[in-house]
């Protein structure tokens, strides 16, 4: 009996301390505690997450988490193109019950079941840059793909008089986005009888691997006039291969994608003739806005039964135009230190 009374007394003291602590909290502290408990957590998971290409996207995503009240953002993804790693990370996000996911899939087909798994768990998903078109994602937000390739490809092909053999360098064959970018370049080649596509190489979004593949292709076909790159590392890989073969700037006309610092230098030095700049910050904001609208139940028009009848409230794909980067405007994309 004494032991039972002692336990009750200890519990009473503990409860009293907890209640007292709660009562002694000021209004600001209580409000901060409540906000912490109700914070929404949004995750972004991307392919080859460590490359410079993601800098603007990552910085914007992190800024959203720091400035939007009641929101926390996390950024991650495999450092390579291994879809199994991305599936593991997605499983962890689903287990954590995050409030929404933005994903740039390593492989379009492999990630489809994982995206559907998240949606089934009540987690809305937006695909970004690379798509899983057969999945149940809400929307696909991307830069112009075929159109951007046609813009960049035509600019570079025109410099070469629309004559000569061409190589297209893609990141990964399983990427829907890379296939579509490649398709735009192939259209340019097909439109001009004086041009011929001799090979498509897979650079794995990696300078070293890409240089090896492109160098081998150049040895097989030494008279290549154009190399069209489909990702942020394609041009850097192409130039490495060209230098190793003793080529000079302009011997082979190269197109890039994005505005990594080394690519900008290659443009200014004459090794690369043009690149495509996507609106990364704006596109990241679009992805977040869609997820937040869905989470707060204002994605659908309030007085319409679109959801009941399975009518989507927004386009299944939002395509944002790109800007052409050449030697005349490359300096605009050089990052300012300290900002």
């Amino acid at each position: 009996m004494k032991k039972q009374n002692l336990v009750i007394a200890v519990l009473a003291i503990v409860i009293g301390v907890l209640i007292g602590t709660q009562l002694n909290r000021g209004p600001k502290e209580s409000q901060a505690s409540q906000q912490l408990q109700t914070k929404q957590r949004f995750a972004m998971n991307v392919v080859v997450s460590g490359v410079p290409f993601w800098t603007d996207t990552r910085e914007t995503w992190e800024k959203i988490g720091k400035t939007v009240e009641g929101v926390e953002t996390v950024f991650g993804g495999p450092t390579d193109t291994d879809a199994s790693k991305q599936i593991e990370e997605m499983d962890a996000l689903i287990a954590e019950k995050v409030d929404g996911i933005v994903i740039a899939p390593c492989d379009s087909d492999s990630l489809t079941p994982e995206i559907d798994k998240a949606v089934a768990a009540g987690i809305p998903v937006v695909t970004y840059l690379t798509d899983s078109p057969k999945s149940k994602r809400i929307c696909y937000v991307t830069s112009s793909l075929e159109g951007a390739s046609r813009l960049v490809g035509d600019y570079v092909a025109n410099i070469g008089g629309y004559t000569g053999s061409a190589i297209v360098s893609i990141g990964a064959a399983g990427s829907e986005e890379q296939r579509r970018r490649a398709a735009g370049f192939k259209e340019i080649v097909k439109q001009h009888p004086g041009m011929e596509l001799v090979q498509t190489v897979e650079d794995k979004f990696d300078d070293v691997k890409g240089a090896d593949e492109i160098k081998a292709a150049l040895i097989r076909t030494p008279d290549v006039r154009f190399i069209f790159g489909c990702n942020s590392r394609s041009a850097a890989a192409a130039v490495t291969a060209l230098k190793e073969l003793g080529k000079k700037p302009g011997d082979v006309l190269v197109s890039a994608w994005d505005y990594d610092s080394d690519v900008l230098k290659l443009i200014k030095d004459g090794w690369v003739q043009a690149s495509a700049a996507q609106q990364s910050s704006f596109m990241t904001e679009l992805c977040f806005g869609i997820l937040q609208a869905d989470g707060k139940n204002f994605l659908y028009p309030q007085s319409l039964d679109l959801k009941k009848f399975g009518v989507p409230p927004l386009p299944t794909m939002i395509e944002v135009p790109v800007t052409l980067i050449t030697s005349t405007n490359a300096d605009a994309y050089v990052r300012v230190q300290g900002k």
Side-chain angles (χ1 to χ4, degrees), residues 148-160 162 184-185 188 191-192 228:
S149 293
R150 288 193 296 267
L151 174 69
V152 176
D154 187 68
Y155 180 88
V156 174
N158 181 58
I159 295 173
Y162 298 103
F185 288 125
I188 293 296
Q191 287 172 5
H192 301 281
F228 297 116

Side-chain angles (χ1 to χ4, degrees), residues 52 87 91:
I87 289 170
D91 277 336

Side-chain angles (χ1 to χ4, degrees), residues 2-310:
K2 287 182 180 179
K3 187 175 180 180
Q4 185 178 6
N5 288 339
L6 178 61
V7 172
I8 293 172
V10 170
L11 286 173
I13 292 170
V14 173
I15 293 170
V17 170
L18 291 173
I19 292 173
T21 301
Q22 192 68 29
L23 290 173
N24 287 332
R25 285 182 175 177
K28 290 184 179 179
E29 191 176 352
S30 297
Q31 185 179 7
S33 176
Q34 186 177 7
Q35 287 176 349
L36 185 63
Q37 292 173 1
T38 58
K39 264 193 173 182
Q40 287 186 300
R41 194 162 188 256
F42 296 98
M44 178 175 282
N45 195 281
V46 301
V47 58
V48 201
S49 59
V51 297
F53 163 74
W54 295 111
T55 300
D56 288 345
T57 292
R58 185 183 66 253
E59 288 179 350
T60 302
W61 190 249
E62 290 173 351
K63 188 74 171 180
I64 289 170
K66 292 175 182 176
T67 57
V68 179
E69 186 176 350
V71 166
E72 178 187 359
T73 56
V74 292
F75 184 92
T79 56
D80 52 21
T81 58
D82 189 343
S84 63
K85 293 179 184 177
Q86 192 169 40
I87 289 170
E88 288 177 9
E89 294 189 26
M90 283 287 286
D91 277 336
L93 293 173
I94 294 169
E96 291 172 22
K97 298 181 179 178
V98 296
D99 294 283
I101 297 173
V102 177
I103 183 172
C106 289
D107 182 89
S108 302
D109 293 330
S110 298
L111 268 296
T112 294
E114 201 66 21
I115 293 171
D116 291 350
K117 182 178 176 181
V119 173
I123 302 171
V125 177
V126 171
T127 51
Y128 176 45
L129 299 181
T130 57
D131 192 22
S132 288
K134 297 177 183 177
S135 72
K136 295 179 180 178
R137 46 90 167 126
I138 297 177
C139 182
Y140 171 38
V141 176
T142 184
S143 59
S144 175
L145 297 173
E146 292 94 340
S149 293
R150 288 193 296 267
L151 174 69
V152 176
D154 187 68
Y155 180 88
V156 174
N158 181 58
I159 295 173
Y162 298 103
T163 303
S165 300
I167 292 173
V168 173
S169 182
I170 66 171
S175 168
E176 178 77 11
E177 171 230 32
Q178 290 288 290
R179 287 198 297 263
R180 291 183 58 194
R181 287 180 179 179
F185 288 125
K186 290 175 182 178
E187 284 181 39
I188 293 296
V189 174
K190 191 175 181 180
Q191 287 172 5
H192 301 281
M195 298 181 71
E196 178 188 8
L197 178 66
V198 293
Q199 192 171 346
T200 299
V201 302
E202 199 170 352
D203 56 50
K204 297 293 184 183
F205 304 97
D206 183 277
D207 296 11
V208 177
K209 292 178 182 177
D212 289 343
E213 292 295 323
I214 293 171
K215 184 178 178 180
L218 289 170
I219 290 172
R220 284 191 295 271
T221 314
D223 63 342
V224 165
R225 182 62 172 140
F226 306 98
I227 301 176
F228 297 116
C230 296
N231 65 81
S232 65
R233 306 316 302 153
S234 297
V239 173
T240 297
L242 291 171
K243 288 180 178 179
E244 290 178 358
L245 292 172
K247 301 290 186 180
K248 296 178 181 179
D251 287 347
V252 178
L253 303 174
V254 181
S255 78
W257 207 284
D258 309 311
Y259 43 96
D260 295 2
S261 58
D262 57 344
V263 171
L264 293 175
K265 187 175 186 308
L266 292 173
I267 292 173
K268 291 193 286 184
D269 289 347
W271 281 102
V272 175
Q273 279 61 53
S275 187
Q278 65 178 33
Q279 311 298 324
S280 297
S281 292
F282 173 62
M283 293 160 68
T284 304
E285 293 155 15
L286 272 178
C287 292
F288 171 72
I290 292 168
L291 289 179
Q292 191 178 46
D294 185 76
K296 292 186 178 294
N297 296 315
F298 63 86
L299 183 65
Y300 286 83
Q302 300 302 297
S303 58
L304 297 178
D305 278 337
L306 298 186
K307 195 170 188 178
K308 178 181 176 181
F309 290 94

